[in-house]
Amino acid sequence: ANCVVSEKDGAKIRTLTTKDGAVIVEKLTQWDDAGHAYGYAILESPLPVANYVSIIAVKDGAEAGTAEINVAGNSDSSSLLEMGKRHARSDPASVYIGTETIEVSTLDEVWDGLVRDGETVFLKLDVQGFEMEALRGAELSLPRIDGVQAEVSLVPLYEGAPTWIEVITYLQERGFHPVRLEPAFQDPKTGEVLQVDVVFARNNRALQAEQLY
């Protein structure tokens, strides 16, 4: 995988190339230092996406405050939890190289500042083992969310992280059902899938493909 950041017509452009050669081009649409959030639009993608715009708050946790995050060597695997031996063995470049103090907040706390009335909301969780804390911090927001994408572990990768069954059960109990699974992290030596992205839709809402992905 590869990521290149460039600038075009005064806008920041990020070009992502996946391991299988697929290219995704995104444009930064907003940046909020105070709110620890940013927005982006997908300009080019092999996925069935049309007019996709997203706002991401880089915060998580069941309670607001500050926390020490472990910074991984590959940045993708940074987590508030300690990394397990299986993760480090499967991806040696992901071992922690330091820590940083970050501010955390719940989705419930930032919801009103991010979402306007009538908007369709899709929540993406990629929090490296902190899924349950993030979901518990969105208890009031979940009923207003149409779809969720969560990266879950099939084997223990972070100490204290929930199992994939716990995450799926939690969301099912709140009116969501899985509609799609995709491999997210594999052991390069054995080919075993260690993490998957699970996409959920709300039971009583039939979303179009461009709303889910």
CSV table of all heavy atoms in Angstrom, one decimal, residues 33 36 58-60 64-72 78-80 97-105:
chain,number,residue,atom,x,y,z
A,33,ASP,N,-8.9,22.2,13.6
A,33,ASP,CA,-7.9,21.9,14.7
A,33,ASP,C,-8.6,21.8,16.0
A,33,ASP,O,-8.4,20.9,16.8
A,33,ASP,CB,-6.8,23.0,14.7
A,33,ASP,CG,-5.8,22.8,13.6
A,33,ASP,OD1,-5.5,21.6,13.3
A,33,ASP,OD2,-5.2,23.7,13.1
A,36,HIS,N,-10.7,18.8,16.3
A,36,HIS,CA,-9.9,17.6,16.0
A,36,HIS,C,-10.7,16.7,14.9
A,36,HIS,O,-10.9,15.5,15.0
A,36,HIS,CB,-9.7,16.7,17.2
A,36,HIS,CG,-8.9,17.4,18.2
A,36,HIS,ND1,-7.5,17.4,18.2
A,36,HIS,CD2,-9.2,18.1,19.3
A,36,HIS,CE1,-7.1,18.1,19.3
A,36,HIS,NE2,-8.1,18.5,20.0
A,58,VAL,N,-11.2,12.7,14.8
A,58,VAL,CA,-10.1,11.8,15.3
A,58,VAL,C,-10.1,11.8,16.8
A,58,VAL,O,-9.1,12.1,17.4
A,58,VAL,CB,-8.8,12.2,14.7
A,58,VAL,CG1,-8.7,11.8,13.2
A,58,VAL,CG2,-8.5,13.7,14.8
A,59,LYS,N,-11.2,11.3,17.4
A,59,LYS,CA,-11.3,11.2,18.8
A,59,LYS,C,-12.1,9.9,19.1
A,59,LYS,O,-12.9,9.4,18.3
A,59,LYS,CB,-12.2,12.3,19.4
A,59,LYS,CG,-11.6,13.7,19.1
A,59,LYS,CD,-12.6,14.7,19.6
A,59,LYS,CE,-12.1,16.1,19.3
A,59,LYS,NZ,-13.0,17.2,19.8
A,60,ASP,N,-11.9,9.3,20.2
A,60,ASP,CA,-12.7,8.1,20.6
A,60,ASP,C,-12.6,8.0,22.1
A,60,ASP,O,-11.8,8.6,22.8
A,60,ASP,CB,-12.2,6.9,19.9
A,60,ASP,CG,-10.7,6.7,19.9
A,60,ASP,OD1,-10.1,7.2,20.9
A,60,ASP,OD2,-10.2,6.0,19.1
A,64,ALA,N,-14.7,11.6,27.8
A,64,ALA,CA,-13.8,12.6,27.3
A,64,ALA,C,-12.6,12.8,28.2
A,64,ALA,O,-12.7,12.5,29.4
A,64,ALA,CB,-14.6,13.9,27.1
A,65,GLY,N,-11.5,13.4,27.7
A,65,GLY,CA,-10.4,13.7,28.5
A,65,GLY,C,-9.1,13.6,27.7
A,65,GLY,O,-9.1,13.9,26.5
A,66,THR,N,-8.0,13.2,28.3
A,66,THR,CA,-6.8,12.9,27.6
A,66,THR,C,-6.3,11.5,27.8
A,66,THR,O,-6.7,10.9,28.8
A,66,THR,CB,-5.7,13.9,28.1
A,66,THR,OG1,-5.5,13.7,29.5
A,66,THR,CG2,-6.1,15.4,27.8
A,67,ALA,N,-5.5,11.0,26.9
A,67,ALA,CA,-5.0,9.7,27.0
A,67,ALA,C,-3.6,9.6,26.3
A,67,ALA,O,-3.3,10.4,25.5
A,67,ALA,CB,-6.0,8.7,26.4
A,68,GLU,N,-2.9,8.5,26.7
A,68,GLU,CA,-1.6,8.2,26.0
A,68,GLU,C,-1.9,7.2,24.9
A,68,GLU,O,-2.4,6.1,25.2
A,68,GLU,CB,-0.7,7.6,27.0
A,68,GLU,CG,-0.1,8.6,28.0
A,68,GLU,CD,0.9,9.6,27.4
A,68,GLU,OE1,1.8,9.1,26.7
A,68,GLU,OE2,0.9,10.8,27.7
A,69,ILE,N,-1.6,7.6,23.7
A,69,ILE,CA,-1.7,6.7,22.6
A,69,ILE,C,-0.3,6.1,22.2
A,69,ILE,O,0.7,6.8,22.2
A,69,ILE,CB,-2.3,7.4,21.3
A,69,ILE,CG1,-2.7,6.3,20.3
A,69,ILE,CG2,-1.5,8.4,20.8
A,69,ILE,CD1,-3.6,6.9,19.2
A,70,ASN,N,-0.3,4.8,21.9
A,70,ASN,CA,0.9,4.2,21.5
A,70,ASN,C,1.1,4.4,20.0
A,70,ASN,O,0.2,4.0,19.2
A,70,ASN,CB,0.9,2.7,21.8
A,70,ASN,CG,0.7,2.4,23.3
A,70,ASN,OD1,1.6,2.7,24.1
A,70,ASN,ND2,-0.4,1.8,23.7
A,71,VAL,N,2.2,4.9,19.6
A,71,VAL,CA,2.5,5.3,18.2
A,71,VAL,C,3.2,4.1,17.6
A,71,VAL,O,4.3,3.7,18.0
A,71,VAL,CB,3.3,6.6,18.1
A,71,VAL,CG1,3.5,6.9,16.6
A,71,VAL,CG2,2.6,7.7,18.8
A,72,ALA,N,2.6,3.5,16.5
A,72,ALA,CA,3.2,2.4,15.8
A,72,ALA,C,4.2,2.9,14.7
A,72,ALA,O,4.1,4.0,14.2
A,72,ALA,CB,2.1,1.6,15.2
A,78,SER,N,-1.3,2.3,15.4
A,78,SER,CA,-1.3,3.1,16.6
A,78,SER,C,-2.6,2.8,17.4
A,78,SER,O,-3.7,2.8,16.8
A,78,SER,CB,-1.1,4.6,16.4
A,78,SER,OG,0.1,4.8,15.7
A,79,SER,N,-2.5,2.7,18.7
A,79,SER,CA,-3.6,2.3,19.5
A,79,SER,C,-3.5,2.8,21.0
A,79,SER,O,-2.4,3.0,21.5
A,79,SER,CB,-3.8,0.8,19.5
A,79,SER,OG,-4.9,0.4,20.4
A,80,LEU,N,-4.6,3.0,21.6
A,80,LEU,CA,-4.7,3.3,23.0
A,80,LEU,C,-4.4,2.1,23.9
A,80,LEU,O,-4.2,2.1,25.1
A,80,LEU,CB,-6.0,3.9,23.4
A,80,LEU,CG,-6.3,5.3,22.8
A,80,LEU,CD1,-7.7,5.7,23.1
A,80,LEU,CD2,-5.4,6.3,23.4
A,97,ILE,N,6.8,2.7,18.7
A,97,ILE,CA,8.1,3.4,18.7
A,97,ILE,C,8.0,4.6,19.7
A,97,ILE,O,9.0,5.3,19.8
A,97,ILE,CB,8.5,3.9,17.3
A,97,ILE,CG1,7.3,4.8,16.7
A,97,ILE,CG2,8.7,2.8,16.3
A,97,ILE,CD1,7.7,5.5,15.4
A,98,GLY,N,6.9,4.8,20.3
A,98,GLY,CA,6.8,5.9,21.3
A,98,GLY,C,5.3,6.1,21.7
A,98,GLY,O,4.4,5.3,21.3
A,99,THR,N,5.1,7.1,22.4
A,99,THR,CA,3.7,7.5,22.9
A,99,THR,C,3.5,9.0,22.7
A,99,THR,O,4.4,9.8,22.6
A,99,THR,CB,3.5,7.1,24.4
A,99,THR,OG1,4.4,7.9,25.2
A,99,THR,CG2,3.7,5.6,24.6
A,100,GLU,N,2.2,9.4,22.6
A,100,GLU,CA,1.8,10.8,22.5
A,100,GLU,C,0.6,11.0,23.4
A,100,GLU,O,-0.2,10.1,23.5
A,100,GLU,CB,1.5,11.2,21.1
A,100,GLU,CG,2.7,11.3,20.2
A,100,GLU,CD,2.4,11.8,18.8
A,100,GLU,OE1,1.3,12.4,18.7
A,100,GLU,OE2,3.2,11.7,17.9
A,101,THR,N,0.5,12.2,24.0
A,101,THR,CA,-0.7,12.5,24.7
A,101,THR,C,-1.7,13.1,23.8
A,101,THR,O,-1.4,14.1,23.1
A,101,THR,CB,-0.4,13.5,25.9
A,101,THR,OG1,0.6,12.9,26.8
A,101,THR,CG2,-1.6,13.8,26.7
A,102,ILE,N,-2.9,12.6,23.8
A,102,ILE,CA,-3.9,13.1,22.8
A,102,ILE,C,-5.2,13.5,23.6
A,102,ILE,O,-5.4,13.0,24.7
A,102,ILE,CB,-4.3,12.1,21.8
A,102,ILE,CG1,-4.9,10.8,22.4
A,102,ILE,CG2,-3.1,11.8,20.9
A,102,ILE,CD1,-5.4,9.8,21.4
A,103,GLU,N,-6.0,14.3,23.0
A,103,GLU,CA,-7.3,14.6,23.6
A,103,GLU,C,-8.4,13.7,23.0
A,103,GLU,O,-8.4,13.4,21.8
A,103,GLU,CB,-7.7,16.1,23.2
A,103,GLU,CG,-9.0,16.5,23.8
A,103,GLU,CD,-9.3,18.0,23.4
A,103,GLU,OE1,-8.4,18.7,23.0
A,103,GLU,OE2,-10.5,18.4,23.5
A,104,VAL,N,-9.2,13.1,23.8
A,104,VAL,CA,-10.3,12.2,23.4
A,104,VAL,C,-11.6,12.8,23.7
A,104,VAL,O,-11.8,13.6,24.7
A,104,VAL,CB,-10.1,10.8,24.0
A,104,VAL,CG1,-8.8,10.2,23.5
A,104,VAL,CG2,-10.3,10.8,25.5
A,105,SER,N,-12.6,12.5,22.9
A,105,SER,CA,-14.0,12.9,23.1
A,105,SER,C,-14.9,11.8,22.6
A,105,SER,O,-14.5,11.0,21.8
A,105,SER,CB,-14.3,14.2,22.4
A,105,SER,OG,-15.6,14.7,22.7
